[in-house]
PDB file of all heavy atoms in Angstrom:
ATOM      1  N   LEU V  51     -52.192 -39.426 -26.347  1.00 97.00           N
ATOM      2  CA  LEU V  51     -50.758 -39.280 -26.145  1.00 97.00           C
ATOM      3  C   LEU V  51     -50.393 -37.856 -25.790  1.00 97.00           C
ATOM      4  O   LEU V  51     -51.140 -36.909 -26.045  1.00 97.00           O
ATOM      5  CB  LEU V  51     -49.975 -39.742 -27.380  1.00 97.00           C
ATOM      6  CG  LEU V  51     -50.128 -39.034 -28.723  1.00 97.00           C
ATOM      7  CD1 LEU V  51     -49.518 -37.661 -28.782  1.00 97.00           C
ATOM      8  CD2 LEU V  51     -49.479 -39.887 -29.815  1.00 97.00           C
ATOM      9  N   TYR V  52     -49.216 -37.742 -25.152  1.00 96.00           N
ATOM     10  CA  TYR V  52     -48.630 -36.453 -24.817  1.00 96.00           C
ATOM     11  C   TYR V  52     -47.692 -36.077 -25.943  1.00 96.00           C
ATOM     12  O   TYR V  52     -46.742 -36.811 -26.231  1.00 96.00           O
ATOM     13  CB  TYR V  52     -47.880 -36.559 -23.497  1.00 96.00           C
ATOM     14  CG  TYR V  52     -47.023 -35.373 -23.159  1.00 96.00           C
ATOM     15  CD1 TYR V  52     -47.563 -34.093 -23.135  1.00 96.00           C
ATOM     16  CD2 TYR V  52     -45.667 -35.530 -22.854  1.00 96.00           C
ATOM     17  CE1 TYR V  52     -46.790 -32.998 -22.818  1.00 96.00           C
ATOM     18  CE2 TYR V  52     -44.881 -34.445 -22.540  1.00 96.00           C
ATOM     19  CZ  TYR V  52     -45.443 -33.174 -22.523  1.00 96.00           C
ATOM     20  OH  TYR V  52     -44.664 -32.098 -22.216  1.00 96.00           O
ATOM     21  N   GLN V  72     -47.355 -40.257 -33.385  1.00 97.00           N
ATOM     22  CA  GLN V  72     -47.388 -38.876 -33.847  1.00 97.00           C
ATOM     23  C   GLN V  72     -46.230 -38.603 -34.807  1.00 97.00           C
ATOM     24  O   GLN V  72     -45.211 -39.286 -34.791  1.00 97.00           O
ATOM     25  CB  GLN V  72     -47.312 -37.906 -32.671  1.00 97.00           C
ATOM     26  CG  GLN V  72     -46.041 -38.011 -31.847  1.00 97.00           C
ATOM     27  CD  GLN V  72     -46.022 -37.008 -30.708  1.00 97.00           C
ATOM     28  OE1 GLN V  72     -46.513 -35.883 -30.834  1.00 97.00           O
ATOM     29  NE2 GLN V  72     -45.429 -37.410 -29.583  1.00 97.00           N
ATOM     30  N   ASP V  73     -46.416 -37.575 -35.616  1.00 96.00           N
ATOM     31  CA  ASP V  73     -45.362 -37.012 -36.452  1.00 96.00           C
ATOM     32  C   ASP V  73     -45.307 -35.531 -36.114  1.00 96.00           C
ATOM     33  O   ASP V  73     -46.138 -34.746 -36.590  1.00 96.00           O
ATOM     34  CB  ASP V  73     -45.670 -37.236 -37.932  1.00 96.00           C
ATOM     35  CG  ASP V  73     -44.553 -36.749 -38.842  1.00 96.00           C
ATOM     36  OD1 ASP V  73     -43.789 -35.850 -38.424  1.00 96.00           O
ATOM     37  OD2 ASP V  73     -44.452 -37.259 -39.966  1.00 96.00           O
ATOM     38  N   GLY V  75     -43.333 -33.231 -36.963  1.00 93.00           N
ATOM     39  CA  GLY V  75     -43.069 -32.346 -38.096  1.00 93.00           C
ATOM     40  C   GLY V  75     -44.306 -32.023 -38.910  1.00 93.00           C
ATOM     41  O   GLY V  75     -44.371 -31.013 -39.600  1.00 93.00           O
ATOM     42  N   TYR V  80     -51.679 -40.105 -35.223  1.00 98.00           N
ATOM     43  CA  TYR V  80     -52.254 -41.232 -35.952  1.00 98.00           C
ATOM     44  C   TYR V  80     -52.862 -42.245 -34.993  1.00 98.00           C
ATOM     45  O   TYR V  80     -52.433 -42.374 -33.840  1.00 98.00           O
ATOM     46  CB  TYR V  80     -51.177 -41.927 -36.781  1.00 98.00           C
ATOM     47  CG  TYR V  80     -50.471 -41.026 -37.745  1.00 98.00           C
ATOM     48  CD1 TYR V  80     -49.216 -40.494 -37.443  1.00 98.00           C
ATOM     49  CD2 TYR V  80     -51.054 -40.691 -38.964  1.00 98.00           C
ATOM     50  CE1 TYR V  80     -48.563 -39.664 -38.330  1.00 98.00           C
ATOM     51  CE2 TYR V  80     -50.403 -39.856 -39.861  1.00 98.00           C
ATOM     52  CZ  TYR V  80     -49.158 -39.346 -39.536  1.00 98.00           C
ATOM     53  OH  TYR V  80     -48.519 -38.519 -40.421  1.00 98.00           O
ATOM     54  N   LEU V  81     -53.826 -42.985 -35.489  1.00 98.00           N
ATOM     55  CA  LEU V  81     -54.360 -44.133 -34.768  1.00 98.00           C
ATOM     56  C   LEU V  81     -54.349 -45.309 -35.733  1.00 98.00           C
ATOM     57  O   LEU V  81     -55.169 -45.365 -36.658  1.00 98.00           O
ATOM     58  CB  LEU V  81     -55.764 -43.876 -34.241  1.00 98.00           C
ATOM     59  CG  LEU V  81     -56.337 -44.999 -33.381  1.00 98.00           C
ATOM     60  CD1 LEU V  81     -55.569 -45.107 -32.059  1.00 98.00           C
ATOM     61  CD2 LEU V  81     -57.829 -44.787 -33.103  1.00 98.00           C
ATOM     62  N   MET V  93     -68.234 -43.480 -35.091  1.00 98.00           N
ATOM     63  CA  MET V  93     -67.598 -42.240 -35.544  1.00 98.00           C
ATOM     64  C   MET V  93     -66.413 -41.992 -34.628  1.00 98.00           C
ATOM     65  O   MET V  93     -66.559 -42.050 -33.399  1.00 98.00           O
ATOM     66  CB  MET V  93     -68.593 -41.085 -35.472  1.00 98.00           C
ATOM     67  CG  MET V  93     -68.037 -39.772 -36.006  1.00 98.00           C
ATOM     68  SD  MET V  93     -67.882 -39.776 -37.797  1.00 98.00           S
ATOM     69  CE  MET V  93     -69.588 -39.500 -38.263  1.00 98.00           C
ATOM     70  N   VAL V 100     -55.516 -28.900 -24.226  1.00 93.00           N
ATOM     71  CA  VAL V 100     -54.438 -27.918 -24.294  1.00 93.00           C
ATOM     72  C   VAL V 100     -53.818 -27.768 -22.914  1.00 93.00           C
ATOM     73  O   VAL V 100     -54.510 -27.421 -21.950  1.00 93.00           O
ATOM     74  CB  VAL V 100     -54.964 -26.572 -24.818  1.00 93.00           C
ATOM     75  CG1 VAL V 100     -53.851 -25.531 -24.816  1.00 93.00           C
ATOM     76  CG2 VAL V 100     -55.531 -26.736 -26.227  1.00 93.00           C
ATOM     77  N   GLY V 101     -52.534 -28.073 -22.841  1.00 91.00           N
ATOM     78  CA  GLY V 101     -51.838 -28.011 -21.567  1.00 91.00           C
ATOM     79  C   GLY V 101     -51.886 -29.296 -20.769  1.00 91.00           C
ATOM     80  O   GLY V 101     -51.322 -29.379 -19.679  1.00 91.00           O
ATOM     81  N   LEU V 108     -58.884 -40.263 -20.281  1.00 96.00           N
ATOM     82  CA  LEU V 108     -59.588 -40.161 -21.574  1.00 96.00           C
ATOM     83  C   LEU V 108     -61.083 -39.901 -21.392  1.00 96.00           C
ATOM     84  O   LEU V 108     -61.931 -40.550 -22.007  1.00 96.00           O
ATOM     85  CB  LEU V 108     -59.360 -41.439 -22.400  1.00 96.00           C
ATOM     86  CG  LEU V 108     -57.903 -41.777 -22.711  1.00 96.00           C
ATOM     87  CD1 LEU V 108     -57.818 -43.104 -23.476  1.00 96.00           C
ATOM     88  CD2 LEU V 108     -57.240 -40.665 -23.496  1.00 96.00           C
ATOM     89  N   PHE V 113     -61.380 -32.515 -22.470  1.00 96.00           N
ATOM     90  CA  PHE V 113     -60.764 -32.076 -23.721  1.00 96.00           C
ATOM     91  C   PHE V 113     -61.438 -30.811 -24.237  1.00 96.00           C
ATOM     92  O   PHE V 113     -62.656 -30.666 -24.165  1.00 96.00           O
ATOM     93  CB  PHE V 113     -60.800 -33.209 -24.753  1.00 96.00           C
ATOM     94  CG  PHE V 113     -59.817 -34.290 -24.409  1.00 96.00           C
ATOM     95  CD1 PHE V 113     -60.092 -35.202 -23.402  1.00 96.00           C
ATOM     96  CD2 PHE V 113     -58.607 -34.377 -25.065  1.00 96.00           C
ATOM     97  CE1 PHE V 113     -59.167 -36.183 -23.040  1.00 96.00           C
ATOM     98  CE2 PHE V 113     -57.679 -35.362 -24.727  1.00 96.00           C
ATOM     99  CZ  PHE V 113     -57.961 -36.254 -23.719  1.00 96.00           C
TER     100      PHE V 113
END
Side-chain angles (χ1 to χ4, degrees):
L51 63 71
Y52 169 54
Q72 62 179 324
D73 184 335
Y80 303 100
L81 185 68
M93 183 72 78
V100 177
L108 301 177
F113 287 77

